[in-house]
Amino acid sequence: MRKGFLTFAAVGLLATGSMAACGDDGGSDQAGGSTDKKPKIGVILPDSKSSARWEGADRKYLKEAFDAAGVDSDIQNAQNDKNAFQTIADQMITNGVNVLMIVNLDSGTGKAVLDKAKSQGVATIDYDRLTLGGSAQYYVSFDNEAVGKLQGEGLSKCLTDKGAKNPSIAYLNGSPTDNNATLFKNGYDSVLKPKFDSKEYTKVADDSVPAWDNAQAATIFEQQLTKARGKIDGVLAANDGLGNAAISVLKKNKLNGKVPVTGQDATKEGLQNILLGDQCMTVYKAVKKEADAAAELAIGLAKGQKKDTGQTVKDPEGGRDVPAVLLEPKAIYKDNVKDVVADGYVTKDELCTGNFAKLCTDAGIS
């Protein structure tokens, strides 16, 4: 996927679309405030271990957007603790937030929080992950099946580049409680399953990693490699953290750089692994654009306004068409790591430290 950079048409609709003041009718379309009350927005992030993005990018970009709009905000992290997630939500509602934005840990916990907020007249947004059966007024994310498709295409490209014949493939899927992980898998299965069915590729392992836990991912991949008697030729890892966990095991077995590994999130670590040749690709999601789109919707709701996104996503559990903003992801290989730096997501100073300086120069990063 080399054409252009990230499109942002959906969010353009927010900026130019109609805006109507909405009273709080207690239904699914309620707005979370009115113009005579200073907006206050609560955000609950999921953890800080599964991906560096939550604390390194999302928190920063959301706060900047709220501050620029003169809106009070309270951004907290549940650290993968369901009880803490619910406690934080209760405290935010008690403290008078007009809007609650969540990245759920699982749909059950997320639904309970969203339903309680709705009963208290607090507007809600699903950020990055859709809460199945939930009641959020908006869902803001990336096209997650497209993310998975890029991963499948990326692994196939890297295997072809290495001249692999009938390669044995291992899957390290994301958390089974994260709907995004299901969508990612739908995407990469759409590319790889036909190859498995035709016997062009062989799938030797297919495991989900609870809570996207990188330590567990390393253990799981070590077991996969042992079971396959060391014959794994490609790893579909659902994000950079899981990819790095696989790479750590491959290094111990002197297989790093020989076995293509995918990723997602364009983390500093993931990009450095790509520069080293240990990871074949990642998927870049412009988190600032995601955060800005969600913040714009949240600020509107907090002021008693709703905006038309021009898109919906079907909640397969609740049967609801959820107004949505879905952004376009981008595949990143060694030859376009520079695009992530140019976009400001990772700086050259962060990425090109020590031994990576020459690798950055060779990759055209300036």
Side-chain angles (χ1 to χ4, degrees):
M1 181 176 169
R2 307 300 174 116
K3 57 179 184 177
F5 206 54
L6 292 152
T7 61
F8 202 38
V11 179
L13 287 172
L14 300 185
T16 59
S18 62
M19 183 187 302
C22 301
D24 181 1
D25 60 7
S28 61
D29 291 332
Q30 88 254 22
S34 61
T35 54
D36 60 355
K37 181 180 179 182
K38 185 175 183 183
K40 183 176 183 181
I41 298 166
V43 179
I44 309 178
L45 300 174
D47 64 80
S48 56
K49 290 185 177 180
S50 67
S51 176
R53 64 165 286 190
W54 301 119
E55 288 296 329
D58 295 86
R59 178 187 288 274
K60 175 179 70 172
Y61 294 137
L62 286 167
K63 187 172 189 311
E64 286 175 354
F66 295 139
D67 288 351
V71 171
D72 289 339
S73 63
D74 180 7
I75 303 174
Q76 298 190 44
N77 194 312
Q79 298 299 354
N80 199 39
D81 184 325
K82 295 177 188 178
N83 291 329
F85 191 97
Q86 291 180 307
T87 299
I88 292 168
D90 288 345
Q91 290 171 343
M92 287 181 173
I93 293 169
T94 299
N95 291 336
V97 297
N98 309 87
V99 180
L100 182 63
M101 185 190 304
I102 69 166
V103 186
N104 71 59
L105 297 179
D106 63 79
S107 285
T109 306
K111 182 180 186 307
V113 165
L114 293 172
D115 288 349
K116 181 166 186 180
K118 178 181 173 182
S119 73
Q120 300 294 314
V122 176
T124 52
I125 295 174
D126 272 330
Y127 183 66
D128 201 71
R129 298 173 183 169
L130 181 66
T131 300
L132 300 183
S135 55
Q137 276 110 302
Y138 293 110
Y139 168 51
V140 181
S141 189
F142 286 79
D143 183 335
N144 291 309
E145 289 200 3
V147 170
K149 187 176 180 185
L150 291 178
Q151 291 173 319
E153 291 170 347
L155 184 60
S156 182
K157 175 186 182 302
C158 295
L159 287 166
T160 298
D161 289 348
K162 287 187 175 294
K165 303 296 183 185
N166 189 25
S168 297
I169 308 301
Y171 278 10
L172 277 177
N173 309 306
S175 173
T177 61
D178 180 357
N179 185 57
N180 280 3
T182 300
L183 298 175
F184 300 147
K185 192 171 191 295
N186 289 345
Y188 47 79
D189 270 342
S190 72
V191 176
L192 298 178
K193 188 176 183 300
K195 296 181 182 292
F196 298 140
D197 291 344
S198 69
K199 310 299 184 188
E200 182 182 352
Y201 292 1
T202 300
K203 187 197 288 186
V204 296
D206 186 348
D207 293 294
S208 296
V209 180
W212 295 90
D213 184 270
N214 298 331
Q216 289 191 63
T219 300
I220 290 168
F221 182 68
E222 196 145 30
Q223 292 167 347
Q224 291 179 340
L225 191 62
T226 299
K227 188 174 180 181
R229 302 185 183 215
K231 179 67 168 69
I232 289 178
D233 303 302
V235 183
L236 195 300
N239 77 357
D240 287 347
L242 305 187
N244 189 65
I247 289 166
S248 70
V249 176
L250 292 171
K251 282 180 178 177
K252 289 197 297 184
N253 291 273
K254 296 183 169 49
L255 293 170
N256 59 302
K258 300 175 183 178
V259 178
V261 179
T262 66
Q264 176 187 176
D265 291 335
T267 63
K268 181 185 81 169
E269 183 178 64
L271 295 173
Q272 288 179 336
N273 281 334
I274 290 173
L275 292 172
L276 285 168
D278 289 343
Q279 184 170 323
C280 79
M281 61 84 67
T282 187
V283 178
Y284 173 50
K285 301 183 297 188
V287 173
K288 185 177 190 307
K289 293 181 178 179
E290 182 183 19
D292 286 348
E296 182 181 352
L297 291 171
I299 292 163
L301 286 174
K303 294 179 177 180
Q305 302 160 342
K306 289 201 69 181
K307 299 185 179 184
D308 182 8
T309 64
Q311 289 179 285
T312 61
V313 167
K314 175 70 78 174
D315 175 356
E317 193 166 298
R320 203 166 57 98
D321 290 321
V322 185
V325 175
L326 298 180
L327 305 174
E328 182 182 348
K330 179 181 176 69
I332 299 295
Y333 301 86
K334 185 179 289 188
D335 65 359
N336 64 341
V337 166
K338 60 182 177 289
D339 291 350
V340 183
V341 178
D343 206 39
Y345 186 67
V346 175
T347 69
K348 180 183 177 182
D349 288 344
E350 291 169 334
L351 184 65
C352 304
T353 58
N355 294 334
F356 291 100
K358 184 178 185 308
L359 294 173
C360 282
T361 300
D362 292 345
I365 297 168
S366 59

